[in-house]
Amino acid sequence: MSEKIKVIKKIFAANEKIAEENAAVLEENQVFTVNIMGSPGSGKTSLIENTTLNLKDKLKIAVIEGDIQGSLDAERLNRLNVEVVQINTGGACHLNSSMIQSALSSLNLKTIDLLFIENVGNLVCPAEFLLGERLRIMTLSLTEGEDKPQKYPLMFTKCEALVLNKMDLAPFLSVNPEIIKKEAQKINPKLEIFPVSCTRGDGIKEFSEWLKKKISTL
Ligand SMILES: Nc1nc2c(ncn2[C@@H]2O[C@H](COP(=O)(O)OP(=O)(O)OP(=O)(O)O)[C@@H](O)[C@H]2O)c(=O)[nH]1
Ligand SMILES: [Mg+2]
């Protein structure tokens, strides 16, 4: 048992070392990097699409797209004329810092202001693996239910902002967004919460403005 714990600690330590190297490279090149995490289908790609449309006149944006397999999301983002690098984890349920290190080598970092990393759809393991990012943001859609903060607290603890998506569906669901907000802030009192609807565009302006302010601190 103690051997197993030692191995897990080593994996995290090795990941953190490379994450620090990534962070140094990104800072040197003045690239603000945002790790977007959340369940499958919670709206990660939709949030990146909407925010990119809002900010791409002001900032040069690129995306590292993490998926178990395929390139469907990368194709969606390519349509917005942003540079996209696809990572296929081949089964792994999260991105790690060495995957990001190799993706960074194929981007022209000097020309990028804002780099989104779309993590693999999962509310658990991505929270445990630092990538070298400046900001961690999670998407949660209303359809996932009120109990998610209590059931998956680590993700809520590790993120700076929660984008509560699919607000347009509120009238059709027996889910109270106020309960999600309250429970999430109980776990992480500093968590910024943005209720949005990616399909309608509601709340995207507020989120983009907040992100732009964060980037200006780089
Ligand atoms: N009604 C509604 N549907 C939405 C909204 N945002 C996204 N969707 C839909 O939800 C589905 C999943 O959205 P994506 O943006 O692909 O979600 P994702 O988190 O990137 O999914 P994975 O990459 O597969 O983990 C799509 O069919 C979207 O059209 C929203 O605000 N309201
Ligand atoms: Mg996606």
Side-chain angles (χ1 to χ4, degrees):
M1 188 63 186
S2 73
E3 274 305 304
K4 197 174 165 190
I5 293 169
K6 257 193 228 158
V7 172
I8 292 171
K9 275 192 180 158
K10 264 193 184 165
I11 291 172
F12 285 136
N15 185 72
E16 275 176 35
K17 186 172 173 288
I18 298 174
E20 281 166 18
E21 290 168 18
N22 291 345
V25 169
L26 290 162
E27 188 166 350
E28 194 183 301
N29 287 281
Q30 294 281 290
V31 180
F32 191 91
T33 306
V34 185
N35 181 6
I36 312 255
M37 299 176 280
S39 308
S42 55
K44 297 178 292 301
T45 312
S46 303
L47 180 70
I48 297 170
E49 286 172 324
N50 276 271
T51 313
T52 298
L53 287 172
N54 231 279
L55 295 177
K56 76 174 186 177
D57 291 342
K58 300 169 193 103
L59 299 167
K60 178 87 168 84
I61 298 172
V63 183
I64 296 176
E65 181 55 53
D67 285 294
I68 286 177
Q69 65 172 48
S71 57
L72 290 173
D73 289 352
E75 286 159 31
R76 278 167 66 181
L77 295 160
N78 251 325
R79 283 181 219 128
L80 303 180
N81 288 326
V82 291
E83 196 176 357
V84 186
V85 179
Q86 177 75 56
I87 296 174
N88 280 144
T89 64
C93 54
H94 59 272
L95 294 175
N96 64 38
S97 57
S98 76
M99 293 172 188
I100 297 303
Q101 191 169 50
S102 50
L104 292 180
S105 67
S106 58
L107 286 168
N108 184 2
L109 296 177
K110 292 231 170 325
T111 65
I112 300 168
D113 304 308
L114 171 59
L115 175 63
F116 287 115
I117 300 174
E118 178 174 347
N119 219 309
V120 178
N122 180 345
L123 213 46
V124 188
C125 336
E128 296 187 301
F129 285 82
L130 296 174
L131 304 177
E133 69 278 60
R134 275 296 286 260
L135 204 59
R136 278 182 288 280
I137 293 176
M138 66 174 292
T139 53
L140 182 80
S141 51
L142 269 196
T143 47
E144 290 172 66
E146 292 162 352
D147 55 2
K148 293 302 160 294
Q150 282 156 295
K151 291 174 88 169
Y152 301 92
L154 186 67
M155 182 63 84
F156 291 82
T157 309
K158 294 279 173 121
C159 286
E160 197 159 336
L162 160 65
V163 173
L164 191 51
N165 189 30
K166 309 197 186 179
M167 288 297 290
D168 53 292
L169 299 180
F172 312 106
L173 302 170
S174 51
V175 174
N176 182 349
E178 294 309 316
I179 293 179
I180 299 180
K181 286 188 203 169
K182 204 175 91 197
E183 292 300 327
Q185 272 169 337
K186 244 192 242 170
I187 290 166
N188 179 356
K190 288 191 188 148
L191 191 69
E192 301 268 356
I193 303 182
F194 297 92
V196 311
S197 164
C198 284
T199 45
R200 287 196 189 157
D202 302 342
I204 296 296
K205 198 167 155 245
E206 289 77 1
F207 172 72
S208 304
E209 286 303 315
W210 174 79
L211 188 56
K212 211 160 64 151
K213 267 197 205 131
K214 288 273 169 199
I215 296 167
S216 69
T217 64
L218 188 71

